[in-house]
Amino acid sequence: MSHNPIRPWRDIARRKSRQIMVGNVPVGGDAPIAVQTMTNTLTTDVAATIAQVQAAAEAGADLVRVSVPDEASAKALKEIVAESPVPIIADIHFHYRRGIEAAEAGAACLRINPGNIGSKERVREVISAARDHGCSMRIGVNAGSLEKHLLEKYGEPCPDAMVESGLEHIRILQDHDFHDYKISVKASDVFMSAAAYQMLAEATDAPIHLGITEAGGFVSGTIKSAIGLGQLLWMGIGDTIRVSLSADPVEEVKVGFEILKSLGLRHRGVNIISCPSCARQGFNVIKTVEQLEERLAHIHTPMSLSIIGCVVNGPGEALMTDVGFTGGGAGSGMVYLAGKSSHKLDNDQMVDHIVEQVERKAAELEAAHAQGDDISK
């Protein structure tokens, strides 16, 4: 639960869920909401896949999913798992044998789609392999691949059909005394996804994986995901998320963290508060923010930076941030530290100086954290 006694309207009461382990990452319960992405390289290209996994982990991914479409990919997975800095989830479709092979290769979790994995007997064999090799599992229901009997019953993909599919497969796992599972009910339609997840949250205490599947390109997919996932997270639903974009997996991680940061659910790196700029700006805000985003990408310490073009809102925003800069006149502006005006600075020195100030503040916060102090103060 995110509790703020000073600003109770920011409170988010997270849904109570069981906690499972995905490798060394706790999911559910009071664990931080985990951020996932998925590689888009050929899994058999081990070097490229490992490089993509490492880049995603550096961007903040807690978990990375890798597709296992064939036997050669399952063999490659063993080497990928060995080199990965984060737990690897094996994505399994159609061929239940791939799930067994992925478990043997060291995957931390098996993601199976109940609608296309095959008979209950085959699902049982995958369950047995997961148990034998210490894997958790994700039941991944998709609106686009629901079971035939559910489509016949409901006439089309809908929230009720998706939840019924998920609950049917939960029963299979539970009947085999397997409880290390999480579940998702994804659709590309934001309304359908949101409704299905709300129903699912009432029907089970399993950890929930959130996603809007096949959301689209970077801009459209980010917006759909922010709307769909944002409202669910605000309601307290969700224990791990994946933003699905037709883009670099690193961008999925960044967007996922930004969604969580905007709701105060996760904090990582510099939160830049900046204006859209207008004719009042005392410096080129857009260019400055672009430069700062690039040069501060290495900062993982949670902190805030305000970059405002003029004095209309600049001083007020700076009061609420660790470091701030507000545009003035005659080619200079005001630097704010810890919410207070500190010193004037020429615009042409701004970027270098702000980077120095942010790095200094990050070091102070990390030192305080090492001593056991609350770095959020």
Side-chain angles (χ1 to χ4, degrees), residues 121-183:
E121 289 71 25
R122 290 183 171 182
V123 173
R124 289 189 186 102
E125 290 191 50
V126 177
I127 294 169
S128 179
R131 177 183 287 111
D132 291 345
H133 296 278
C135 288
S136 60
M137 295 181 68
R138 170 158 72 93
I139 299 169
V141 179
N142 269 13
S145 55
L146 286 169
E147 295 93 323
K148 183 179 179 181
H149 73 277
L150 292 174
L151 291 175
E152 291 175 348
K153 176 179 179 179
Y154 290 99
E156 64 178 5
C158 64
D160 295 270
M162 294 169 68
V163 173
E164 185 168 333
S165 173
L167 295 180
E168 285 181 0
H169 286 82
I170 281 178
R171 282 191 289 273
I172 294 174
L173 299 187
Q174 291 179 335
D175 287 346
H176 288 78
D177 198 28
F178 190 91
H179 304 283
D180 294 329
Y181 61 86
K182 47 194 169 82
I183 183 168

